[in-house]
Amino acid sequence: MPDSESNLVSSHVDVINGTSVLSEMKISDEKRSVEKRAVTQIEKNGYPDSIYINAAKIFQGIHTEKSEDKIQVRYGGNSDSPMMAFKDEHSRRVSYELAFNTLKYQDLLEEILLDSRTYPCYSIPDELTSLLVVILYDLQDRKFKKRKIFAEEELVAEVQEIENYLYSYRTKLAAALARCRIKYDALSIEYFVPETIWKQEQRASTLPLCFWINTFKISLEDVIRDLEMKGFRKVESVSDLDHYTYAVDQHCHDVLVFPSSLREELLNLDLFADSKLLLQDKSRSLAVHSAQALLSEGGDIIMAHIGSHLTIAHMSVLTNRSRSKIFACGVKSSAKEEELRNSLSHMGCENIQLLHEDFTELEPTDPRLDKAKVILLLPQCSGLGAGNPVEFILSENRDAALLRDLFQGFVSEDKLSILAERQLNELIHALKFKKVQAIVYCTCSVYPEENELVVQKALESGVEGDKVRRYRVIPSVFFTCSNSESSTEMFFKMEPSEISSGCFLAVLEREKDTSKKVSAKDILDSAAAENLLDGIAEEKPKEEVKKQKVKQRRRKVTASKPKAAKLLHRQTGANVKAEVPVSKAASKIQEQHEGHVKAASNASQKTVHRKKAASNAPQKTVHKKKVVSNTPQKTVHQKKAASNIPQKKVHRTKAATKIP
């Protein structure tokens, strides 16, 4: 290499040493640098070969494609669903993060390759260009230092070949990077990141961590006691979080919120390792709490998408006491089913049934779902409200292409239209389940096309039909956290901010049935409870009569006309049309009171005489009781006679008082 180029590299060596965007962003916060010391050290030494392979496969599917006249670096054909094997969850997370970082600096990395004349390389086919760019990003992040190879690491030939090739050109690559920075007057390569992405990453780095408590394994009180023993202090709100503090979430009573700087330390706690505390975005906790609040005793719930197994587990924990069953849709493979069962079993969840069918493949009349009362719909969405895109993709098992949308800062109209149409179809399908009483619809989108408009179009579809009660939007159990306009006050919305991810939540509930008829038996039972029947009783089976003691109380005329009027008002006010026997019973009540009032005012002496006669003939009273209890047919006959011939009724009442 010419000396002038070597001098250029030497003169800019101090600048190059400060170009690592990951180092600057991850060590900018003093607290994070201390707690992530081990992780940062691993990143400076590079990654195992398998992580480069997986990151390259992810990047191959999400890299920015340019028009034919502007293409200078070719990436070969795309694979729709590349096969990736992750050693563990950490390897999976790091692979996605490496792919996303490569995407953010794709233009810069391509310019470095071209300017240094490292590309094209005829020994490296286009299919491996993604691997070339991924390894280049990591090489500059390590300040062009050689990667440390661990003894137990399994080496991959392609990775070794490309890494050795790039390392042999490290001086030219460093010089090309320096020229790019001079050309664009960039103090660091962070300059090359779009402002929207930079702000999003800054927000994500400070976003509080939300952990929900698995009460299958531990109580809230025990968690708090454990945290206090480890030096944590409780504060009143998220705005008060600082160092070793935590707060109970204002919306979800079983969610604890911690400062973002404590992430690694919290993940190393026994509480997390034993699945007693689970890290998950708050939007999912809001969704399951909304569904649980609508669930009646013994009612089941349908979860239209698998999404994260943590969401299913949280729903299981909240519904444990109600004896509800949870149906999770879309478990396509036996391997996925086994994985889910093992994960859920480890967390103590038992009331879950996994369904192989997608939600839209389920018949609304499926007998398995007869007791389903609530549907929780968490459809695939653009996800631009998510605080941490990589975390969102990993936890919700979403398409890695979301990273490209987040990098662009928007979703194309075509893709948004496809998503909205799919969401509408799923919500309309949910409306067809006639036994279901409520639906919770929740997204992490910031687009009205995926939120309010989907709900509005579904309700206007009229798919419920005229024979069932229609759905209406009702307020959620939470208070709105954003300044919504009047047209959206019924929806719960949280805008992306420094303290929360974006979230949209709508609760749909069937309208109350005000025209339902009340049976004659129910009205008679209600009247009997208020002592308004005055001896009128429905006919009971002989077995039930034998079990009861033969008793009869002589009841004074204490029932007043307002009580009878109150019962009649209740019937008419609720638009109740009573059956014929009920109408006769009601007229019987009114006539009895009129007869009693008349008898009490005009025949006081006869009343005294009747009382005396009653006290002198107890044996006849007992005999009369037996006759009444053994001849229910006569009682019914007397009721009819009483309602049709009021004059004879009054006469019979007088006779009964003389000879009880």
Side-chain angles (χ1 to χ4, degrees), residues 37 50 55 82 96 178 215 236 282 308 323 367 379 400 412 453 460 472 475 482 512 596 636 640:
R37 186 174 297 143
S50 60
Y96 273 88
T215 54
E236 291 300 321
K282 179 181 171 178
S308 171
R323 294 173 299 177
S412 66
L453 295 181
E460 291 175 351
R472 59 190 176 94
S482 61
K512 302 299 181 182
H596 287 316
V636 176
K640 294 182 179 180

Side-chain angles (χ1 to χ4, degrees), residues 364-425:
T365 57
D366 192 320
R368 295 173 296 179
L369 310 174
D370 278 345
K371 295 183 179 180
K373 300 301 179 185
V374 177
I375 294 177
L376 177 56
L377 181 54
L378 301 170
Q380 290 192 8
C381 64
S382 59
L384 292 189
N388 187 325
V390 173
E391 194 76 46
F392 179 75
I393 290 173
L394 295 178
S395 62
E396 298 296 322
N397 296 310
R398 296 300 167 88
D399 187 359
L402 174 61
L403 293 174
R404 182 172 55 228
D405 298 331
L406 291 169
F407 172 71
Q408 295 172 346
F410 66 91
V411 177
S412 66
E413 291 186 6
D414 291 341
K415 184 173 182 179
L416 187 62
S417 177
I418 293 172
L419 286 171
E421 183 179 359
R422 185 186 305 161
Q423 293 154 359
L424 178 60
N425 290 337

